[in-house]
């Protein structure tokens, strides 16, 4: 399917929602105090972009999320690979990792703050933790899912350890790993926004909270829409990278 | 015979339904936070003062004013007991039917912990004798727009300091407490009663009177009405405030609601100690101190939280105050 067709197919629902919203606002069905018309939101967003505030807040969120995600993903990848390579390590760490996976990360904030301080480091640590667990699990599952007969076949044909890792394990693991990375990126964004809603001097979450605190409804919606758009863009970018690096998946 | 019976059942059901609907429409939904400062309201509810006034009252749990204001403006709440702030001022500026109808709590020298500064003993080994000692320290407040942020600015201004002279971090109360005890911050400013926190008795923490030293008598909590009471029969609003003020007076005179014991038990506090806590922060007559409100409004504009100052005439509605309440002046010797 052509790119333009794909985009059009993905946009019909948001466009329909926005149109319905605008019409309902125009006819006074929706209270503009709580549901300002999309055209008003667009005007406010334009103004906020002009003052640089929108870019500053979105930039803070993307930076926070990006650093946390990168650190968490690298650590998760290494641990997942280690757990997959050694059955003993895998068995000894899997229960702890499962516990960390189901633990609500934000409930750890007071403890993390005591360990890492009340500044940026504690926020990054929580974002990294959210990405870390998902990537580690998917890396582990990817390695475990490699068909042993492929390894034996490669070995039979004289492939060394490095060759087996490069030519068998990596290609076989990549689809699973990318699913993990994509999910982890989404989770990292959610945790970033959640932390910003609680404790951050800047970022989209902080902007949403501030708008709520000051009854600035337009700004609130702009923050929420921008966050959703960021999530969609992130997903699309990860898909593009995946298609480029793991074409055999599809 | 059977038809008559069926008709009777239908008529009774219909009457029941219409009565239920009537009562439901009369129900006044009051947003309350889970704090001891809500004791007087609970007293009135437990003793049936509102029922006696012909009012059905439903207490709706609402954690803070940030959530309560949109609910009030959207008609999902009819009454809210909270501190005013930029959310309320902006809602009124944008035409929402919300108004301050009575005053509730003030800063008093010998009662309450609102505006107090909780410092870490290690950071201030000789105590906090003067606010200028805060220079270079790390302080926590809950949010930039709350009354604690306003108090902090006033305290710093009083000491000849600026916000940039201290490091301000935004932390919720639980996190601020953990950070204070863990040595990650030097002080935190209370914007509510620290009645739930064990920090008061902790030897690592020193509680110092803060806002009261620079804003004596400042009124920080009010009662607000939404459109149902503002636009409905004014007698309902007056009846509500009269019943509430009856409860507030009884509370100040020592009457204790069961709520206080339940609160103490659920928060691991000593019920006797809780019952004996001071009660003089309340203004039982409901007087609204315009000077306090104006000061808070001016601060909200200065900080850029409000595009302009909201007119007090639009913000305050005195139609419902029971007779005998003050006309709005601050009590003598304050502010």
């Amino acid at each position: 399917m052509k790119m333009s067709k794909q985009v059009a197919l993905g946009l019909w629902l948001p466009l329909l929602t926005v149109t319905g919203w605008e019409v309902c606002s125009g006819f006074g069905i929706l209270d503009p105090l709580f549901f300002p018309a999309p055209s008003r939101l667009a005007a406010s967003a334009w103004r906020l972009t002009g003052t640089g505030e929108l870019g500053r807040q979105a930039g803070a969120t993307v930076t926070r999320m990006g650093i946390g995600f990168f650190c968490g993903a690298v650590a998760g990848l290494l641990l997942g690979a280690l757990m997959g390579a050694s059955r003993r390590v895998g068995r000894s760490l899997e229960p702890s990792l499962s516990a960390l996976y189901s633990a609500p990360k934000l409930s750890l904030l007071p403890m993390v703050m005591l360990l890492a301080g009340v500044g940026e480091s504690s926020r990054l640590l929580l974002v990294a933790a959210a990405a870390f667990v998902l990537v580690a699990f998917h890396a582990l599952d990817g390695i475990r899912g490699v068909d042993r007969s492929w390894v034996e076949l490669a070995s039979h044909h004289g492939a060394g350890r490095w060759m087996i890792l490069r030519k068998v394990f990596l290609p076989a693991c990549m689809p699973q790993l990318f699913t993990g990375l994509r999910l982890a990126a989404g989770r990292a964004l959610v945790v970033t926004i959640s932390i910003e809603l609680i404790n951050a001097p800047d970022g989209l979450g902080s902007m949403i909270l501030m708008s709520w605190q000051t009854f600035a409804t337009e700004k609130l919606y702009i923050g929420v829409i921008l966050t959703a758009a960021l999530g969609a863009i992130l997903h699309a970018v990860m898909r593009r990278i995946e298609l480029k690096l793991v074409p055999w998946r599809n | 015979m059977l038809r008559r019976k069926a008709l009777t059942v239908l008529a009774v059901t219909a009457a029941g339904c219409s009565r239920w609907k009537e009562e439901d429409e009369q129900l006044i939904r009051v947003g309350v936070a889970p704090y001891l400062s809500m004791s007087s309201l609970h007293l009135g509810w437990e003793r049936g003062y509102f029922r006696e006034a012909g009012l059905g009252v439903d207490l709706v749990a609402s954690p803070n004013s940030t959530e309560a204001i949109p609910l009030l403006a959207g008609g999902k709440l009819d009454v809210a007991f909270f501190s005013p702030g930029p959310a309320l001022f902006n809602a009124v500026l944008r035409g929402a039917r919300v108004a301050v109808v009575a005053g509730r709590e003030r800063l008093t020298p010998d009662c309450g912990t609102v505006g107090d500064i909780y410092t870490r003993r290690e950071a201030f080994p000789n105590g906090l004798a003067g606010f200028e000692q805060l220079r270079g320290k790390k302080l926590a407040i809950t949010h930039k727009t709350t009354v604690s942020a306003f108090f902090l600015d006033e305290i710093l201004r009083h000491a000849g300091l600026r916000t940039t002279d201290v490091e301000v971090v935004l932390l919720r109360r639980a996190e601020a407490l953990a950070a204070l005890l863990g040595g990650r911050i030097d002080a935190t400013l209370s914007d509510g009663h620290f009645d739930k926190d064990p920090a008061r008795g902790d030897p690592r923490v020193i509680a110092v009177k803060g806002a009261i030293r620079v804003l004596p008598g400042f009124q920080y909590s009010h009662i607000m009405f939404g459109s149902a009471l503002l636009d409905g029969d004014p007698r309902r609003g007056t009846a509500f405030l009269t019943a509430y003020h009856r409860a507030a007076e009884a509370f100040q005179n020592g009457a204790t609601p069961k709520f206080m014991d339940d609160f103490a038990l659920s928060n691991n506090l000593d019920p006797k100690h809780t019952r004996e806590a001071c009660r003089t922060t309340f203004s039982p007559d409901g007087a609204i101190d315009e000077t306090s409100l104006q000061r808070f409004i001016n601060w909200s504009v200065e900080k850029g939280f409000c595009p302009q100052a909201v007119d007090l005439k639009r913000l305050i509605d005195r139609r419902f105050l029971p007779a005998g309440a003050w006309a709005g002046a601050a009590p003598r010797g304050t502010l």
Side-chain angles (χ1 to χ4, degrees):
Chain A
M1 199 186 290
K2 271 188 181 172
M3 181 75 177
S4 55
K5 247 186 180 176
Q6 262 182 7
V7 171
L9 209 61
L11 281 180
W12 74 268
L13 187 59
L15 282 176
L16 189 73
T17 311
V18 169
T19 312
W21 185 352
E22 183 73 42
V23 169
C24 288
S25 295
F27 282 103
I29 299 167
L30 289 174
D31 187 344
L33 196 62
F34 300 101
F35 304 100
S39 51
R40 265 180 69 186
L41 294 183
S44 291
W46 182 253
R47 205 182 54 248
L48 286 173
T49 310
T51 60
E53 188 183 347
L54 218 52
R56 203 169 50 246
Q57 305 287 16
T61 296
V62 170
T63 309
R64 191 169 286 133
M65 183 244 142
I67 296 172
F69 169 70
F70 178 77
C71 297
V74 169
L77 186 63
L78 290 175
L79 188 77
L82 190 68
M83 285 167 74
S86 160
R87 197 166 285 183
R88 185 174 285 190
V89 176
R91 281 190 184 149
S92 68
L93 291 181
E94 208 171 340
S96 309
L97 211 59
S98 304
L100 185 61
Y101 176 70
S102 32
K105 309 290 173 292
L106 290 182
S107 64
L108 303 173
L109 187 60
M111 282 76 87
V112 173
M113 270 182 351
L114 287 177
L115 294 170
V118 292
E120 198 58 40
S121 45
S122 55
R123 291 173 210 126
L124 291 177
L125 210 61
L126 280 181
V127 178
F132 165 77
V133 187
L134 270 169
V135 174
F137 266 130
H138 280 82
L140 175 65
D141 282 351
I143 291 169
R144 276 185 183 162
V146 174
D147 196 331
R148 293 292 137 181
S149 61
W150 298 347
V151 181
E152 278 167 25
L153 192 69
S155 176
H156 208 70
H157 284 84
R161 290 176 79 125
W162 174 241
M163 179 77 93
I164 289 174
L165 179 72
R166 217 159 50 89
K167 296 284 182 187
V168 179
F169 271 97
L170 260 181
C173 290
M174 285 291 257
Q176 181 77 17
L177 188 63
F178 259 93
T179 304
L181 286 170
R182 199 154 28 88
L183 292 175
R187 179 70 66 86
L189 180 65
V190 170
V191 172
T192 305
I193 297 290
S194 307
I195 292 171
E196 287 173 353
L197 276 167
I198 296 172
N199 151 283
D202 51 13
L204 288 173
S206 166
M207 185 179 113
I208 292 169
L209 176 68
M210 182 59 124
S211 314
W212 193 234
Q213 298 265 11
T214 55
F215 207 78
T217 30
E218 279 103 353
K219 220 167 153 183
L220 188 140
Y221 281 105
I222 291 166
V224 172
I225 291 167
L226 201 60
T227 304
L230 210 59
I233 291 168
L234 198 67
H235 182 82
V237 168
M238 293 299 283
R239 277 295 283 170
R240 298 290 295 174
I241 296 173
E242 189 179 352
L243 284 172
K244 203 96 179 152
L245 294 180
V246 199
W248 58 90
R249 177 174 193 146
N250 296 305
Chain B
M1 185 68 181
L2 195 68
R3 194 191 294 170
R4 189 177 295 169
K5 259 188 183 172
L7 280 173
T8 313
V9 169
L10 271 175
V12 169
T13 313
C17 283
S18 69
R19 192 174 304 143
W20 175 81
K21 199 177 171 215
E22 201 172 287
E23 275 173 9
D24 187 46
E25 277 170 0
Q26 290 293 312
L27 207 62
I28 295 174
R29 294 153 301 177
V30 185
V32 286
Y35 295 125
L36 270 182
S37 57
M38 294 292 156
S39 296
S40 50
L41 176 68
H42 283 276
L43 182 76
W45 193 75
E46 286 175 21
R47 288 193 166 184
Y49 290 169
F50 298 107
R51 219 172 27 247
E52 283 173 25
L55 303 168
V57 165
D58 186 16
L59 302 184
V60 183
S62 186
N64 53 47
S65 59
T66 310
E67 281 184 18
I69 297 303
L71 291 176
L72 199 63
K76 302 292 175 198
L77 283 179
D78 303 314
V79 185
F81 283 62
F82 286 107
S83 294
L88 172 75
F89 306 147
N90 283 337
V92 173
L93 278 173
R94 299 181 67 170
R97 283 296 289 146
V98 188
V100 171
V101 295
R104 225 170 72 80
E105 281 191 280
R106 289 175 174 281
L107 293 175
T108 50
D110 49 0
C111 186
T113 56
V114 173
D116 284 1
I117 304 173
Y118 287 74
T119 60
R120 200 160 47 84
R121 196 177 287 275
E122 262 180 38
F124 300 94
N126 302 317
L128 185 69
F131 295 135
E132 58 281 355
Q133 284 175 260
L134 292 172
R135 186 190 292 274
K137 300 289 184 189
K138 198 181 263 190
L139 286 121
I141 52 171
T142 47
H143 198 265
K144 288 176 203 166
T145 61
T146 54
V147 76
S148 65
F150 166 68
F151 286 156
L152 178 63
D153 276 356
E154 291 295 321
I155 287 168
L156 293 177
R157 199 192 321 230
H158 182 79
L161 300 175
R162 281 179 299 179
T163 320
T164 46
D165 291 326
V166 294
E167 190 184 340
V168 179
V169 288
L170 305 177
L171 295 175
R172 291 182 301 186
R173 195 186 283 201
E175 276 104 40
L177 185 68
L180 186 69
L181 294 174
R184 293 292 179 177
I185 56 170
D186 302 312
T188 181
L189 212 83
S190 158
D191 63 356
H193 292 293
F194 259 64
D195 41 34
K196 280 185 184 177
D197 301 326
R200 291 181 79 182
D202 195 294
R204 288 168 291 179
V205 173
I206 309 172
V208 182
K209 284 287 164 202
I212 182 67
R213 282 155 67 180
V214 297
L215 294 164
F218 183 87
Q219 191 173 52
Y220 58 85
S221 174
H222 297 78
I223 301 174
M224 291 150 237
F225 279 179
S227 60
L229 287 175
L230 291 176
D231 300 332
D233 183 348
R235 285 174 301 181
R236 285 188 80 213
T238 305
F240 178 86
L241 286 187
T242 308
Y244 170 72
H245 289 132
R246 188 180 162 201
E249 214 160 37
F251 179 70
Q252 269 205 329
N253 291 332
T256 298
K258 189 177 163 292
F259 163 79
M260 286 182 93
D261 288 341
D262 295 342
F263 182 91
L265 285 173
S266 59
N267 289 285
N268 294 321
L269 300 168
D270 175 15
K272 187 172 173 284
H273 180 79
T274 305
R275 264 183 259 125
E276 287 169 358
C278 64
R279 299 170 179 201
T280 50
T281 54
F282 293 94
S283 326
D285 55 7
I288 301 166
D289 176 14
E290 289 188 3
T291 319
S292 297
L293 267 176
Q294 191 63 60
R295 207 158 174 167
F296 202 14
I297 292 168
N298 294 346
W299 174 82
S300 301
V301 177
E302 259 173 50
K303 299 296 270 189
F305 302 141
C306 298
Q308 66 191 80
V310 60
D311 187 355
L312 283 179
K313 281 184 197 137
R314 276 177 75 187
L315 184 67
I316 298 171
D317 193 334
R318 285 202 170 84
R319 287 178 298 148
F320 309 99
L321 269 181
W326 299 340
R332 248 175 263 139
T334 62
L335 290 176

